């Protein structure tokens, strides 16, 4: 069939649907029902993108706290300003437990009035949530008002969006340990030949916490005890340790972030990455609009843009960080066909508690490297 004719028929069909009164009535009824449901839950539901844009134009600015890497912030901000030139966007990087606690205390004291959108640290997730504006982002996404995948929105706290994913891997110096000696499973780290300062292990147990959804707490705690009995080299934070591995000081590290290993400066290309199943993965860079936001609609556009296909591509290109639920993302491709344990929304708020139990099983170790 002639391609032009096919396109013409498609156009006619689209016009027929759009002109069909019953279609318009059904769409209006669906939006009205979604708004009614949102308001019954105490949320605000905006029924059209035009309304969001109009209000955002009047606001004309946003101020954001983000825990993303500086390169990601710079690239995302530039692209956002290009798409929305009427919004003056200023994004400030924030990191570290002390800073998260400070911001949280400011929120509780009613002093956090300078920001429109913010990062909700998973360590204190439940404490951050009450200070976020109750936009029904999930409802608006389901109705197509905002273009965000519903998978990236907390189904309980419907105003919170995950912008990134992390996954934990095994990294090793290929000159110091042969590839066939690198563990194939997390349990392999308990083998006798790896006892006695043979591998690095972070005292903050992100990899094990992310295994809880698939394995359950009992199995994870048992593995934690066995890993501690291996007498690993304990550390806190991974950037320095990965650099030291490149320098030949250590051979093997269990559970660094994939993106940390990939972005480590490695001129001789000594650092290798192994993806071990089940792959521990988790949402990261969780953001929301602050209750006290002066520019909430501009902030809503900021969340949407980061979660969009364009925003996710930026994160992959500069930081290997687009979410595991983003089709074609690095995380999605690397885990395709593999057994994955995802610390998604139903577990996200519990990650801090999971880590506490695992650290207890470790025996409350102290970092040995700096």
């Amino acid at each position: 069939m002639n391609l032009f004719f096919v396109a013409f028929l498609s156009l006619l069909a689209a016009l027929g649907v759009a002109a069909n009164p019953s279609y318009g009535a059904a769409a209006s009824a669906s939006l009205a029902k979604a708004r009614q449901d949102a308001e019954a839950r105490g949320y605000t539901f905006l029924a059209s993108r035009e309304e969001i844009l109009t209000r955002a134009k009047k606001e004309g600015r946003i101020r954001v706290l983000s825990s993303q890497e500086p390169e990601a912030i710079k690239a995302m901000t530039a692209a956002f300003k290009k798409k929305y030139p009427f919004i003056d966007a200023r994004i400030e990087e924030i990191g570290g437990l002390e800073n998260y606690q400070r911001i949280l205390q400011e929120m509780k004291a009613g002093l956090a009035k300078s920001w429109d959108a913010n990062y909700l640290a998973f360590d204190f997730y439940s404490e951050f949530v009450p200070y976020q504006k109750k936009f029904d982002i999930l409802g608006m996404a389901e109705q197509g008002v905002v273009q965000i995948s519903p998978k990236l929105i907390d189904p309980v706290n419907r105003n919170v969006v995950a912008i990134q994913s992390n996954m934990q891997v095994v990294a090793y110096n290929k000159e110091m340990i042969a590839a066939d000696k690198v563990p194939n499973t997390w349990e392999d780290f308990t083998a006798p030949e790896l006892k006695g300062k043979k591998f690095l292990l972070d005292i903050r147990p992100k990899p094990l916490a992310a295994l809880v959804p698939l394995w359950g707490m009992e199995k994870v705690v048992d593995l934690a005890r066995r890993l501690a009995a291996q007498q690993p080299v304990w550390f806190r934070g991974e950037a320095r340790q990965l650099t030291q591995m490149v320098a030949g000081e250590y051979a093997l590290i269990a559970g660094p972030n994939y993106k940390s290993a990939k972005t480590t400066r490695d001129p001789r290309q000594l650092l290798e990455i192994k993806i071990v199943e089940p792959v521990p993965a988790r949402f990261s860079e969780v953001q929301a609009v602050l209750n006290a936001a002066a520019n909430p609609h501009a902030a809503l556009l900021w969340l949407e843009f980061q979660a969009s296909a364009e925003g996710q591509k930026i994160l992959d290109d500069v930081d290997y960080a687009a979410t595991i639920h983003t089709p074609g993302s690095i995380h999605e491709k690397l885990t395709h066909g593999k057994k994955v344990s995802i610390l998604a929304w139903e577990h996200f708020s519990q990650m801090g508690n999971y880590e506490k139990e695992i650290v207890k099983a470790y025996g409350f170790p102290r970092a040995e490297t700096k």
Side-chain angles (χ1 to χ4, degrees), residues 224-235:
R225 292 194 186 100
R226 290 189 288 141
L227 288 173
Q230 291 289 83
Q231 301 170 347
V233 178
W234 297 103
F235 71 95

Side-chain angles (χ1 to χ4, degrees), residues 41-268:
R41 296 188 185 102
Y43 285 84
T44 297
F45 184 97
L46 300 166
S48 74
R49 181 172 182 76
E50 289 71 25
E51 181 181 2
I52 297 171
L53 283 168
T54 298
R55 295 187 181 192
K57 284 179 180 178
K58 289 181 180 178
E59 293 164 356
R61 57 182 281 175
I62 52 167
R63 301 295 180 263
V64 178
L65 288 174
S66 171
S67 76
Q68 298 181 76
E69 297 296 325
E71 295 81 3
I73 290 175
K74 182 179 179 180
M76 192 72 74
T77 305
F80 180 79
K81 287 181 175 180
K82 185 176 180 180
K83 186 176 181 70
Y84 300 109
F86 52 85
I87 298 176
D88 173 28
R90 298 186 186 180
I91 320 302
E92 180 178 322
E93 180 191 3
I94 183 172
L97 288 176
E98 298 83 2
N99 285 321
Y100 304 150
Q101 288 176 308
R102 174 179 58 80
I103 293 296
L104 182 57
Q105 293 307 312
E106 289 179 6
M107 290 180 186
K108 290 179 177 180
L111 301 176
K113 298 179 180 180
S114 302
W115 311 104
D116 300 304
N118 70 130
Y119 166 66
L120 285 69
F122 68 78
D123 311 78
F124 314 105
Y125 184 68
S126 298
E127 293 183 71
F128 271 99
V129 166
Y131 302 97
Q132 313 308 312
K133 189 170 183 65
K134 296 191 75 172
F135 278 134
D136 186 6
I137 300 177
L138 179 56
M140 290 188 282
E142 290 171 339
Q143 293 297 318
V145 178
V146 293
Q147 301 303 307
I148 302 176
S149 168
K151 287 184 178 180
L152 304 184
I153 305 168
D154 187 337
V156 176
N157 303 296
R158 300 164 67 91
N159 52 339
V160 183
V161 182
I163 306 301
Q164 297 186 5
S165 284
N166 273 320
M167 69 179 194
Q168 314 309 131
V169 297
V170 172
Y172 63 98
N173 182 316
K174 65 183 181 182
E175 284 192 346
M176 298 182 69
I177 183 171
D180 61 354
K181 300 296 183 183
V182 176
N184 293 309
T185 69
W186 300 106
E187 291 97 327
D188 285 351
F189 277 95
T190 66
E193 58 268 25
L194 288 179
K195 186 169 185 176
K197 311 297 182 184
K198 297 294 177 60
F199 64 92
L200 290 156
L201 189 62
D202 197 335
I203 59 176
R204 188 182 190 189
K206 294 178 294 185
L208 269 64
L211 288 174
V212 173
L214 186 65
W215 279 2
M217 200 68 202
E218 185 177 347
K219 182 174 179 178
V220 168
V221 165
D222 177 66
L223 177 59
R225 292 194 186 100
R226 290 189 288 141
L227 288 173
Q230 291 289 83
Q231 301 170 347
V233 178
W234 297 103
F235 71 95
R236 177 67 193 94
E238 58 199 32
R240 183 184 295 273
Q241 281 65 42
L242 288 163
T243 299
Q244 289 173 323
M245 287 180 66
V246 171
E249 295 181 36
Y250 301 103
L252 181 65
I253 182 171
N257 289 328
Y258 170 79
K259 71 173 189 175
S260 298
K262 285 293 290 183
T263 55
T264 297
R265 189 172 179 276
D266 183 15
R268 294 176 58 203

